[in-house]
Every structure is written in C-alpha cells, then in structure tokens.
Amino acid sequence: MAGCADLKYFNLTRADILDQEFHNLISKLPLLEKLILKDCVQERVSLSSNRLRELQVLHCDRLREIDIDVPSLLTFSYVFDDNPASSINVPKPCSWKVGFSLGCQRYEVLTCFDSLNFFLKLPYEIEDISISIFIQATDSFNSDKLKKKKWLSLPREVGNLTIEVLAIPLSNYAALLDYLLWICYPRILSMKTHAGQSSIKFIRWLYEKMMKRDAKCCDCHRIKCWQHYLKDFKIECFVPLKDTKPLHIDNLMAALSNLPLGTI
C-alpha cells in the first residue's frame, strides 16, 4: 500500500487476511472516508479513524467481533447470511443499515428471527433493515411459537423495513408477517418486486391483510399484536430499480404483474 496514504475510498473483497494485518493496513490510510469489506474471512474487525464516514461490512460470515472507534462515522451497513457477529461496538450517533437473508432451508425460522431481534436490542438508531426471505414448503412455524419467546415485547421502531420474498408457502404468510411486525415496527414498509410469483402473491396478500386488519384479535393480552399499533396504511409509490424517481400509479395492485424490478 506504499504511496496510497491519500486514499479516501477502499474496497476490500474476498481478502484472506489476518486480523492484525487488517488493522495494520487500515492504519496506513489516515484519510480514508469510505471502507467496504465484502466476503472477507477475518473473525475480527477493529479499526480507529478520525476521518471515516461510511463503513460497509457485507457477507463476512466468519466475523465474530466488530469494534469501531470512529467518532466521525455517519453510516454503518452490515449484511450477513448466517449468524451475525456476537459482539458489535459502533459509535452511537451513527445510523445503521442492516440486511440479512432469512434462508430457513438451513435454519429454523425462530433461529433466523433471533438474528433480527439481536439487532433490535442494540442501543443504536436503525435507519434501514432489508430482509430477503426464502422458506421451504416443509418449514412449519406459526404465531403461537413466537408468543412463547422470552424476547416478545413492544415492537422496536425502525426507519424503513424492506422485504424481498423469494419463496414462501401461502400457509406461512400470516405467521411471517406476525414475526416481523411484532418485533419490528417500521415507519415505512417497503416491498421489492421481481418476476417471481412468490413476490407478487405475497404483496397482494399483504395489501388485503392491511386493508382488512383486525385490531380486536388480542384485546385481552397485555402485549398486543402489531395490528393494535398500526396507525395508518397506504401505498405511497413505486420506485423502479433502474430509475430512482418515484412513480405514482393508479390502482397499483392491478398493475403489479407488469411492474419491472423495483420497490413499492
């Protein structure tokens, strides 16, 4: 890295690097403002900086500890596929963007949601959570299992919850929505669209569910389900993937099958 001391942007992808080597490498980049770590194999990320403004840790599945001493950090993005790091220390003023794949072909559904709950317990401002969901038809789960979890409490408010349904049986729709919204209360709920029928079916089901929600389903319980805390529901717009300009479409549900890749 000789001659790179003025580097402001650094993308480290698929690097087989020891923890101390990584620390030494970053210490030689005092002007670094944006750092991306993707598919790296180290178990610990430890760095200190007075200039870094954005840190992205993407799919580094061996990572077990993140220790960031960066007062200037504005955005921390963390995306994982399996289990998250067991220890995360990031400056509190920083806003978080968290993404993970709910791939329950390998894990029990409740185990996957424990990962989401792990982040919701952290004392940080979570601006955005993005979840890709793949649940096999053989996976069985229901809302009664969730009620038995010790972490069941009032939903934690987050900025934006983005859901991408890759595959999920119709019989699991209601339980999936309960799992998400009983522990995570988003100000904005976004749905990714793609050519797959699973996505279209779930979005249509979700729309009907929201329009006909039952807020009297658990009046006798101390902690109510998400339907009691939902203040309003409306479809704001559609944002194409290749053009971030929002589109306001009349009767969007009728046009759903013909929409390109994007987010509702």
Side-chain angles (χ1 to χ4, degrees):
M1 297 296 293
C4 297
D6 294 335
L7 200 66
K8 293 185 177 181
Y9 168 75
F10 187 38
N11 187 331
L12 191 64
T13 300
R14 296 181 180 177
D16 187 357
I17 185 172
L18 298 176
D19 300 344
Q20 188 59 45
E21 291 176 339
F22 170 78
H23 181 78
N24 294 339
L25 174 64
I26 299 302
S27 66
K28 297 177 182 178
L29 306 173
L31 301 182
L32 196 63
E33 295 183 358
K34 181 176 180 178
L35 173 62
I36 298 177
L37 305 177
K38 185 176 181 180
D39 295 318
C40 296
V41 300
Q42 67 260 42
E43 295 185 353
R44 184 172 187 264
V45 169
S46 176
L47 61 91
S48 177
S49 170
N50 292 319
R51 299 290 296 269
L52 192 67
R53 300 171 64 86
E54 180 178 352
L55 172 63
Q56 297 183 25
V57 180
L58 313 175
H59 308 291
C60 300
D61 292 331
R62 294 187 184 180
L63 198 59
R64 292 295 170 261
E65 183 178 350
I66 301 175
D67 188 9
I68 310 299
D69 181 16
V70 184
S72 59
L73 196 66
L74 298 178
T75 302
F76 172 60
S77 300
Y78 182 36
V79 178
F80 61 94
D81 297 316
D82 295 330
N83 294 318
S86 57
S87 175
I88 301 179
N89 180 29
V90 177
K92 285 189 177 181
C94 164
S95 64
W96 284 42
K97 296 182 180 180
V98 177
F100 71 97
S101 298
L102 183 58
C104 296
Q105 69 274 26
R106 290 184 291 174
Y107 303 99
E108 288 188 7
V109 175
L110 283 177
T111 301
C112 295
F113 276 92
D114 279 340
S115 298
L116 173 58
N117 185 60
F118 169 81
F119 285 100
L120 295 180
K121 285 185 175 180
L122 295 174
Y124 301 105
E125 176 189 351
I126 300 179
E127 176 185 337
D128 188 276
I129 297 179
S130 180
I131 304 175
S132 297
I133 301 171
F134 181 95
I135 299 176
Q136 291 182 332
T138 55
D139 292 320
S140 176
F141 66 105
N142 55 61
S143 300
D144 291 335
K145 291 183 179 180
L146 180 65
K147 295 176 183 178
K148 298 177 182 178
K149 297 291 289 185
K150 293 182 179 180
W151 44 258
L152 182 60
S153 59
L154 291 176
R156 164 73 183 273
E157 185 171 314
V158 299
N160 179 44
L161 171 62
T162 301
I163 303 174
E164 179 182 20
V165 175
L166 301 176
I168 176 174
L170 175 62
S171 59
N172 285 344
Y173 282 4
L176 172 65
L177 188 63
D178 284 345
Y179 273 46
L180 286 173
L181 298 186
W182 271 352
I183 61 176
C184 174
Y185 184 65
R187 291 189 292 273
I188 299 174
L189 176 62
S190 302
M191 295 293 305
K192 288 186 177 181
T193 63
H194 53 77
Q197 288 299 312
S198 293
S199 173
I200 294 174
K201 289 180 180 179
F202 183 78
I203 292 174
R204 284 177 173 159
W205 176 89
L206 177 63
Y207 175 78
E208 294 178 2
K209 176 69 174 178
M210 290 296 187
M211 297 302 293
K212 300 178 181 179
R213 62 187 182 275
D214 178 15
K216 299 180 180 180
C217 59
C218 50
D219 283 335
C220 61
H221 296 282
R222 181 180 65 86
I223 297 178
K224 307 295 190 295
C225 75
W226 60 268
Q227 299 182 74
H228 289 260
Y229 303 101
L230 183 63
K231 297 178 181 179
D232 191 19
F233 172 79
K234 64 179 180 179
I235 297 178
E236 188 68 25
C237 62
F238 172 73
V239 181
L241 180 63
K242 295 183 178 180
D243 183 1
T244 57
K245 183 179 179 180
L247 300 178
H248 298 275
I249 302 174
D250 294 334
N251 197 0
L252 191 144
M253 287 297 104
L256 186 60
S257 299
N258 298 320
L259 291 178
L261 296 177
T263 303
I264 297 176

